Amino acid sequence: MVVVTAHGVTIDETRSDRTPHAAALAHFLREFGYRHVDTVERRYRLWRAITGSPFQLFTAGRYVHPIQSGLAEWFVLAESEAAAQREISEYATWLGGRVFTCVVTGPDSSEIGSRSNLYDTIAAREFYDELIARTEADLAEQARLRGAGIIGLL
């Protein structure tokens, strides 16, 4: 669950989420605004102590892209700091325009498969390997079917 505001633009996932922790954060942000990070953090900590919610609020002022000017304010609801850092990293990549699409084509240039919104080369490689393995398995199964291949033509 992420809320990020930068350059006058806000992405707010709490508005579409009706869980209690998202509603609490949305309420505090409406009440105090995005610039009053300390107040929002204190209010959320108090709410969490009262309700026992497992979701912590992590905040950060971080550049979306190293060459951009102006910080983005991040408000992330997560169960651990590592999960919050993953969310921030993924959104920063997306906001910085470092997202790509992987398209795998066959020998005849027909599309075998594609996936968008890949944030790193590891995810792209995993998609590629999975797609190739699945395609090879499908082709092997077709070859095993009765009547397949040259024998089927005779």
Side-chain angles (χ1 to χ4, degrees):
M1 177 78 43
V2 173
V3 177
V4 60
T5 182
H7 306 293
V9 177
T10 300
I11 297 173
D12 188 350
E13 290 183 344
T14 62
R15 293 179 188 213
S16 61
D17 191 333
R18 298 294 176 228
T19 56
H21 55 278
L25 177 58
H27 171 75
F28 298 139
L29 287 171
R30 276 192 311 274
E31 186 175 350
F32 302 107
Y34 299 101
R35 295 188 186 265
H36 299 281
V37 177
D38 293 340
T39 305
V40 171
E41 284 180 320
R42 282 195 307 274
R43 288 294 178 103
Y44 187 85
R45 276 197 307 268
L46 179 62
W47 176 85
R48 187 169 174 252
I50 292 168
T51 63
S53 174
F55 290 91
Q56 300 174 58
L57 174 61
F58 298 93
T59 59
R62 180 173 163 180
Y63 291 100
V64 173
H65 192 276
I67 61 171
Q68 289 179 335
S69 62
L71 286 173
E73 290 296 334
W74 299 86
F75 300 86
V76 182
L77 292 174
E79 292 187 27
S80 70
E81 188 173 354
Q85 289 300 329
R86 282 192 302 274
E87 286 281 329
I88 289 173
S89 178
E90 184 174 311
Y91 267 90
T93 301
W94 180 74
L95 290 169
R98 297 179 309 274
V99 181
F100 56 96
T101 299
C102 178
V103 178
V104 180
T105 58
D108 60 350
S109 297
S110 63
E111 184 177 312
I112 296 173
S114 66
R115 182 172 295 160
S116 297
N117 298 328
L118 296 168
Y119 300 101
D120 58 29
T121 56
I122 295 169
R125 185 63 193 195
E126 288 172 355
F127 165 72
Y128 173 81
D129 291 343
E130 174 187 315
L131 185 62
I132 294 299
R134 190 177 34 203
T135 302
E136 287 175 348
D138 290 347
L139 291 173
E141 182 62 30
Q142 289 175 10
R144 278 191 229 106
L145 293 175
R146 189 173 57 145
I150 297 177
I151 295 176
L153 295 174
L154 298 178

